Amino acid sequence: MAASQLFPIDTGKILDLEVMTQYCKMCEMNIKCDHECSNYKGSSGNMESVRDFRIFETYIMKRKLQYTEYYGDGDSKAFLKVKNIYGEDTVTNLECIGRVQKRVGSRLRKF
């Protein structure tokens, strides 16, 4: 299961949330009832990209707003999926400085 939250850094309030799963407990237990099963079919590695694309797409359709910045972890393929969602290179990628420090530190120690 994967969850993503989008929120502005200045307020810290959640603007949108998407929870995705490939697993259904009710189906596994053979419970016969009307229910919403898993909401994602595909590889686990692609789930983050699909999830972020859904959030960006929903925001423009429902609220007529566009995200202009993507705050990611740097090693994600999700940014590549959303960077051209509104046109060519309309979303810029921002990266957490803590993650940059962690990657650089790991590489320096390995060196």
Side-chain angles (χ1 to χ4, degrees):
M1 183 166 60
S4 181
Q5 299 175 346
L6 292 175
F7 55 90
I9 294 171
D10 56 340
T11 66
K13 295 188 180 196
I14 297 172
L15 297 176
D16 215 333
L17 173 71
E18 178 85 19
V19 177
M20 297 178 71
T21 182
Q22 296 175 311
Y23 171 76
C24 180
K25 182 84 169 167
M26 296 181 85
C27 289
E28 183 183 273
M29 295 172 59
N30 291 322
I31 297 173
K32 306 290 185 211
C33 68
D34 188 28
H35 68 280
E36 186 176 326
C37 207
S38 66
N39 64 355
Y40 177 74
K41 303 277 189 249
S43 71
S44 297
N46 197 34
M47 191 182 287
E48 182 182 6
S49 299
V50 171
R51 178 198 62 214
D52 290 352
F53 185 85
R54 283 184 187 177
I55 290 175
F56 274 66
E57 184 179 52
T58 301
Y59 226 69
I60 190 141
M61 291 182 341
K62 288 185 178 177
R63 297 176 181 87
K64 306 286 188 252
L65 295 172
Q66 295 181 358
Y67 290 112
T68 58
E69 297 173 337
Y70 179 86
Y71 190 74
D73 58 10
D75 61 353
S76 168
K77 297 176 200 149
F79 173 69
L80 299 175
K81 190 99 167 174
V82 299
K83 77 175 191 168
N84 297 322
I85 193 166
Y86 313 124
E88 192 171 331
D89 292 327
T90 50
V91 179
T92 56
N93 190 22
L94 302 177
E95 194 170 340
C96 173
I97 190 65
R99 291 189 181 263
V100 172
Q101 289 172 335
K102 180 181 173 185
R103 280 199 316 270
V104 170
S106 296
R107 289 180 184 151
L108 285 173
R109 283 187 293 280
K110 196 180 280 187
F111 178 69

